[in-house]
Amino acid sequence: GGKASEGVTTLRDLIRIHDSPSFLMEAHDALSAAIAKRAGFKGLWASGLSISSSLGYRDANEASWSEVADVVERMAYAARTPILVDGDSGFGNFNNARLVAGRLRKRGASGICIEDKAFPKMNSFIGGRHPLADIEEFCGRLSAVKDTVPDPDFVLVARIEALIAGHGQDEALERAHAYAEAGADAILIHSRKSDPTEILAFARSWHNRLPVVIVPTKYFSTPVAEYRAAGISTVIWANHNMRAAIAAMRDICNRIIREGGIVGIEPDIAPLEELFELMAYDELAAAETRYLRPK
Ligand code: SPV
Ligand code: MG
């Protein structure tokens, strides 16, 4: 496969159909991005849910697109690894979608995912209505992004919410074909069921006209081997850094209260050296010897 100049696999390469699905790991700030990169993930998912949560917002377009873009810029800087940004429903109509996509590209994103819902969207795991966008109108959003960001390395993922909204396979497939015609590079098919039956049924009928991206948050107990067998191109672990952080922070807060101090917790938290390494303090020291000339 083609490699970018610095030996980094491009997002376009990652979403291609391989023998085994690529993984995109959720990150929501520069630190979580650096940790995921260091662990070996070749690409990141800038999750709307996780970024919203880390900023103290609900995943309902409470965060403005420019706040999201600020976070993405810091993530791109810290990880220097391809990032697929969750662009929600595009923050409005075709005009907002193309504006946001272009700006995200400038801020270091390698691609944007746009879902076929209205603005403001609501997180797909919250019950209630998830009104779908009109197919033609949503295709306009997709082609506007394609025409505005013609960079062949910038990936456009079209996300289908038909199954989330309670429609059937026919609706999902009709939308997928329309979005392929409109210029999408990949199709994200989402589900909130606890088993992957509807996702796998979609994949069987779709025949990989475009690569298929999935988000197994609710159907977490399915082994990746099943996605490989189904020809899934990319699996997004969409919120697992954030949920790990919540669990770790909750436990350490509870322990410091319960134990009345920090005597016992040191072995269970990251050493400061690890933080300094993640944020490349050694690079600053090297730069100082070069640029801070002694008087
Ligand atoms: C996100 O991570 O923000 C997503 C995935 O869009 S989901 O929360 O499943 O909608
Ligand atoms: Mg989202």
Side-chain angles (χ1 to χ4, degrees), residues 26 45-50 59 86 88 115 121 123-125 159 161 190 215 217 238-239:
E26 172 262 313
W45 167 247
S47 155
L49 173 63
S50 301
D59 185 18
D86 181 356
D88 290 334
E115 65 200 51
K121 57 74 65 73
N123 183 270
S124 304
F125 298 133
R159 165 165 158 180
E161 291 280 285
H190 204 14
V215 186
T217 295
N239 44 52

Side-chain angles (χ1 to χ4, degrees), residues 28-252:
H28 50 274
D29 57 14
L31 184 58
S32 53
I35 290 169
K37 158 76 176 287
R38 192 146 212 279
F41 286 103
K42 302 272 185 291
L44 303 178
W45 167 247
S47 155
L49 173 63
S50 301
I51 291 174
S52 299
S53 304
S54 76
L55 295 173
Y57 290 123
R58 272 77 59 100
D59 185 18
N61 285 131
E62 290 184 347
S64 72
W65 67 261
S66 57
E67 285 177 295
V68 173
D70 286 344
V71 172
V72 167
E73 181 179 82
R74 296 311 306 160
M75 287 171 57
Y77 184 86
R80 296 179 194 283
T81 212
I83 302 176
L84 176 62
V85 178
D86 181 356
D88 290 334
S89 53
F91 294 86
N93 68 1
F94 78 93
N95 190 41
N96 305 92
R98 66 180 181 174
L99 177 71
V100 171
R103 202 65 67 88
L104 286 171
R105 180 72 184 125
K106 289 205 177 72
R107 297 291 198 94
S110 297
I112 188 172
C113 175
I114 300 179
E115 65 200 51
D116 54 1
K117 291 203 297 218
F119 178 92
K121 57 74 65 73
M122 171 50 77
N123 183 270
S124 304
F125 298 133
I126 300 289
R129 270 165 41 76
H130 290 271
L132 296 185
D134 170 77
I135 297 187
E136 285 304 312
E137 186 275 328
F138 188 72
C139 286
R141 279 185 239 173
L142 295 172
S143 10
V145 169
K146 262 297 168 204
D147 293 344
T148 308
V149 195
D151 179 347
D153 281 335
F154 192 78
V155 169
L156 173 60
V157 178
R159 165 165 158 180
I160 294 169
E161 291 280 285
L163 304 177
I164 295 284
H167 301 278
Q169 292 290 338
D170 289 350
E171 179 76 28
L173 282 163
E174 184 190 349
R175 285 174 176 268
H177 284 289
Y179 304 163
E181 295 298 330
D185 297 305
I187 296 293
L188 190 159
I189 181 75
H190 204 14
S191 166
R192 59 174 167 199
K193 298 242 159 76
S194 58
D195 68 78
T197 318
E198 61 181 9
I199 291 297
L200 297 176
F202 174 89
R204 269 194 303 276
S205 308
W206 175 244
H207 298 296
N208 273 339
R209 177 175 176 188
L210 288 176
V212 174
V213 180
I214 61 170
V215 186
T217 295
K218 291 287 183 182
Y219 48 101
F220 58 83
S221 52
T222 307
V224 169
E226 285 197 37
Y227 307 141
R228 184 185 308 133
I232 301 299
S233 109
T234 307
V235 178
I236 297 179
W237 311 120
N239 44 52
H240 299 79
N241 259 334
M242 174 190 63
R243 287 164 61 199
I246 292 172
M249 291 190 281
R250 174 235 299 142
D251 286 352
I252 220 68

